[in-house]
Amino acid sequence: MCREVWSASEGQPSLCLPRLRKAGPRGRRPAPTSETFKSAVLQRYVAPRSPVMPTERGRQVTSVASGPNGSARTRAQTCPGFEALLDAVAATGRGPTEAELEELRSFGEGAAVSGATVRALVVHHLSRTRAAWPAGTTGSDSVLAAVQRAVEALCEGHERAELLAVRHQEAARREFIDDLLYGSGEPGRLAERAERLGLRFSHAHVVAVAEGPVPYTEGDAVPRLVERAVTGRFGERSILLTTKDGRLICIAPGDRRQVLTHFAKQAHAATGGGRAAIGRPHPGADGIAPSYEEALRALDLAGRLDLEDPVVHAADLLVYPVLTRDRQAMEDLVRTTLGPLLRARGGPEPHLETLAAYFDSGCVTTQAARRLSLSVRALTYRLERIHQFTGSDPADPRHRYALQTAVIGARILGWPAPRT
């Protein structure tokens, strides 16, 4: 028995394909002709019927047959009731109902789950349409319109299954990243999942965090630009780039500091002048979380202290957490040392800015005046006023350390509080 496949150009049966293919004799095969090549293509996409496997939702999906090279090859099946739908449309002129379209969508979804491609699915249904075309039909427009809607429904179901699979993968990856950064996952399970991404917890790892003027997600242009720049130079192995809470994240081995430095520079450029912070290396699966926390704290301190460096290292800022570990003592020092500046005309902010520039310049008045765009005389006058209000002379080494520590504490604590 043969199936006739109609030619799209002539409307006549052009080839008769057997339902079962028999293995040919071994030996050298003759050179393929155009007719045999056409037969091979049609046999690939217009596959014979094979046993249908039911799914958990009760619909039919594709079956898997062995290909010529021994690998599994998925064969597309026709949705049950497809030929009957064409017969009904040809006889009555009605279009497919919503229930019939949903059945086609469900079948397309099941075909995607079983591994069938959209091309095989569409080509097979079109070939079945030609083979089952009702004889003597005059309403060809309604039949073709029904076929178009049926193919669209099949593709929608196929895309729905693919989108569901992508969302599942994204959710699993996000869960892994959260467990990794927060240290909330089981170490053995984390190590198993991390190896798929090239991370080996036998080495120490470092986390770098970058932020810009706006929050970012993984699909945005800025994270993709930074990722291409980093992976294009260092490859994808042992490097994980992602986003978290609107920031860019890079995880790399501790002995590959150049990766993190390059990431920080690229993030600074891509975010239009954003800042990046690099934590310290920590070993093991639970070492990424503390490195991530250090990078976040360094990023916060850099913002509070108004540091000019676009890239800060947590190791260089360890003195500041020490100064603020006893918060009550630091608040007392700030109120006692700098509290009198609250009575100054214009508030304490100009004087705090003057002290910060003076200490950052190594107590050199000319450089401090240049930083503030002031004359040396104006800067000297401000320093004298600070001495009068606080009783501490910024130029006196005996008073300098207390004043500088109080200025740092005021920056970290946000003193004075913003006026309401």
Side-chain angles (χ1 to χ4, degrees), residues 250-268:
C250 179
I251 303 175
D255 56 353
R256 301 186 66 184
R257 304 284 291 189
Q258 67 276 14
V259 175
L260 301 170
T261 303
H262 186 69
F263 162 79
K265 292 181 179 179
Q266 295 297 323
H268 174 72

Side-chain angles (χ1 to χ4, degrees), residues 10 23 35 56 65 105 126 165 179 209 243 275 313 315 325 336 382 401:
E10 300 177 1
E35 193 66 24
E56 58 183 8
R105 296 188 188 100
L126 290 179
D179 292 342
V209 181
T243 59
R275 181 183 282 118
H313 297 265
R325 186 161 295 172
T336 303
R382 284 191 181 184
Y401 178 74

Side-chain angles (χ1 to χ4, degrees), residues 161-175:
E162 290 182 343
L163 181 60
L164 183 63
V166 170
R167 288 178 177 175
H168 177 73
Q169 293 175 357
E170 290 178 351
R173 186 173 186 269
R174 178 52 55 187
E175 179 184 2

Side-chain angles (χ1 to χ4, degrees), residues 319-341:
V319 65
Y320 298 106
V322 173
L323 293 176
T324 57
R325 186 161 295 172
D326 191 341
R327 186 181 181 91
Q328 185 61 44
M330 179 58 72
E331 290 178 352
D332 292 341
L333 175 64
V334 171
R335 283 197 302 266
T336 303
T337 306
L338 303 177
L341 295 177

Side-chain angles (χ1 to χ4, degrees), residues 2 21 25 32 40 49 72 88 115 144 149-150 161 171 178 190 213 279 319 330 335 348 357 362 364 370 380:
C2 298
R21 296 166 56 187
R49 287 190 179 273
L144 291 177
R149 296 194 64 187
D178 291 345
L190 281 177
V319 65
M330 179 58 72
R335 283 197 302 266
V364 179
R370 191 180 302 114
T380 304

Side-chain angles (χ1 to χ4, degrees), residues 136-394:
T137 301
T138 57
S140 59
D141 290 341
S142 59
V143 176
L144 291 177
V147 171
Q148 179 182 350
R149 296 194 64 187
V151 169
E152 290 176 355
L154 288 169
C155 294
E156 287 177 4
H158 199 283
E159 293 172 356
R160 186 167 60 188
E162 290 182 343
L163 181 60
L164 183 63
V166 170
R167 288 178 177 175
H168 177 73
Q169 293 175 357
E170 290 178 351
R173 186 173 186 269
R174 178 52 55 187
E175 179 184 2
F176 165 72
I177 291 174
D178 291 345
D179 292 342
L180 198 62
L181 295 178
Y182 295 146
S184 56
E186 193 273 324
R189 178 62 176 163
L190 281 177
E192 179 183 353
R193 296 158 68 187
E195 286 185 357
R196 304 172 188 171
L197 300 175
L199 300 180
R200 298 190 179 276
F201 293 146
S202 57
H203 305 289
H205 284 81
V206 182
V207 180
V209 181
E211 64 179 1
V214 296
Y216 304 101
T217 59
E218 286 198 60
D220 294 341
V222 169
R224 288 189 284 109
L225 179 63
V226 175
E227 183 177 5
R228 284 197 301 267
V230 174
T231 57
R233 179 173 179 179
F234 299 100
E236 298 182 358
R237 295 295 298 175
S238 70
I239 301 175
L240 177 61
L241 292 108
T242 183
T243 59
K244 181 65 179 176
D245 296 333
R247 303 182 183 94
L248 308 180
I249 308 294
C250 179
I251 303 175
D255 56 353
R256 301 186 66 184
R257 304 284 291 189
Q258 67 276 14
V259 175
L260 301 170
T261 303
H262 186 69
F263 162 79
K265 292 181 179 179
Q266 295 297 323
H268 174 72
T271 57
R275 181 183 282 118
I278 302 177
R280 293 184 298 166
H282 294 274
D286 54 353
I288 292 180
S291 182
Y292 174 63
E293 291 296 330
E294 289 174 353
L296 288 180
R297 286 197 298 267
L299 206 60
D300 179 65
L301 277 174
R304 290 177 178 270
L305 297 174
D306 196 21
L307 300 181
E308 298 178 355
D309 298 335
V311 181
V312 294
H313 297 265
D316 299 335
L317 303 178
L318 291 178
V319 65
Y320 298 106
V322 173
L323 293 176
T324 57
R325 186 161 295 172
D326 191 341
R327 186 181 181 91
Q328 185 61 44
M330 179 58 72
E331 290 178 352
D332 292 341
L333 175 64
V334 171
R335 283 197 302 266
T336 303
T337 306
L338 303 177
L341 295 177
L342 294 172
R343 302 192 305 268
R345 180 181 300 177
E349 286 83 0
H351 298 84
L352 290 177
E353 184 182 3
T354 300
L355 287 173
Y358 181 69
F359 292 134
D360 291 343
S361 302
C363 299
V364 179
T365 55
T366 55
Q367 294 184 8
R370 191 180 302 114
R371 282 174 176 259
L372 297 173
S373 300
L374 296 175
S375 65
V376 176
R377 183 176 179 179
L379 179 69
T380 304
Y381 175 76
R382 284 191 181 184
L383 293 177
E384 291 176 354
R385 294 287 294 172
I386 292 172
H387 187 192
Q388 294 175 3
F389 278 110
T390 64
S392 300
D393 185 4

